[in-house]
Structure formats: structure tokens, C-alpha cells
Amino acid sequence: MERVPILKLGDILIVSIQIDLDDQSVLALQEDLADMVVSSGARGVVIDITAVEIVDSFIGRMFSTIAAITRMLDAETVVVGMRPAVAITLVELGLSLGGVRTALNLEKGVAMLEHVRGAAG
């Protein structure tokens, strides 16, 4: 099973999903990301799904779960790079991704996290 790499940029973790996601890889990502948030003291997480072409209900729910876990560990999550087809599929599946912030691209996602941290600080 391929693992999704997690990069550290200051106090932000960047997850760039470049593989076809299956249930096992998403569960591994959830665990790896939670561990890395704690070990690095990250305050923000950006999940870049630009390369993701297809999602199912399980993967959609996992994005919400990952955001909830990182919030509990004192980090905000932003999902960036969502393709229109992915957004349409999530809506058709009835998944609103409540609590998940979104941005068009990585640059806007990082800026959003910096704004959130600035407002909280």
C-alpha cells in the first residue's frame, strides 16, 4: 500500500494526494496525519486533492473525520484543489463536509490558515 507523504512547512503540514485513494490508504493517512500533528506541533493542515479525480462516500466522510481529528489536536484543516466533478459527486452523495474549510489552491489555503491563526492570536 502506498502512503501519502506529509510535508512540514513551518507550523503547517501539507498533504498532497497523488495516488488513487482506497479505504486503506485513507485510514493510514488519518493515522499518519494525527501522529504528525502531535509530534510536530502543527497548527494547520492543508490537504491538496488536485490530483483526486474520483471520491466515494467513505473517502468523503474521511475528509470530515480528518478535519475533526486535527481540530481536536489544535490544528485547522483546509482542503484545496477540489475539482468540480469531485464537488458535484460529494453533493450528490449528500456529503457537505461540514467543518471542513476549502480553498481553490495551495496558496489560498495557506493564506486562509495564516488568517485564522492571526485572528485567534
Side-chain angles (χ1 to χ4, degrees):
M1 170 184 64
E2 279 189 86
R3 291 185 102 76
V4 176
I6 302 170
L7 308 173
K8 186 174 184 308
L9 177 68
D11 63 352
I12 295 174
L13 298 178
I14 299 174
V15 179
S16 182
I17 299 173
Q18 301 293 319
I19 62 171
D20 288 333
L21 294 173
D22 58 34
D23 294 358
Q24 290 302 322
S25 61
V26 174
L27 289 171
L29 172 60
Q30 174 183 307
E31 194 172 312
D32 293 347
L33 189 54
D35 289 343
M36 189 116 174
V37 166
V38 171
S39 68
S40 70
R43 307 286 287 164
V45 175
V46 176
I47 301 175
D48 184 353
I49 63 169
T50 303
V52 175
E53 295 182 19
I54 300 171
V55 295
D56 60 19
S57 60
F58 178 76
I59 292 170
R61 283 193 310 273
M62 289 312 296
F63 288 141
S64 291
T65 301
I66 287 169
I69 290 168
T70 59
R71 258 194 316 278
M72 293 183 99
L73 297 173
D74 197 28
E76 288 297 320
T77 297
V78 178
V79 174
V80 303
M82 188 177 302
R83 294 172 181 241
V86 170
I88 291 166
T89 300
L90 291 173
V91 170
E92 288 174 346
L93 291 171
L95 300 172
S96 64
L97 297 187
V100 178
R101 297 173 188 267
T102 59
L104 289 177
N105 57 42
L106 182 60
E107 183 179 4
K108 290 183 180 198
V110 170
M112 182 183 290
L113 286 174
E114 289 172 349
H115 176 75
V116 168
R117 287 194 323 251

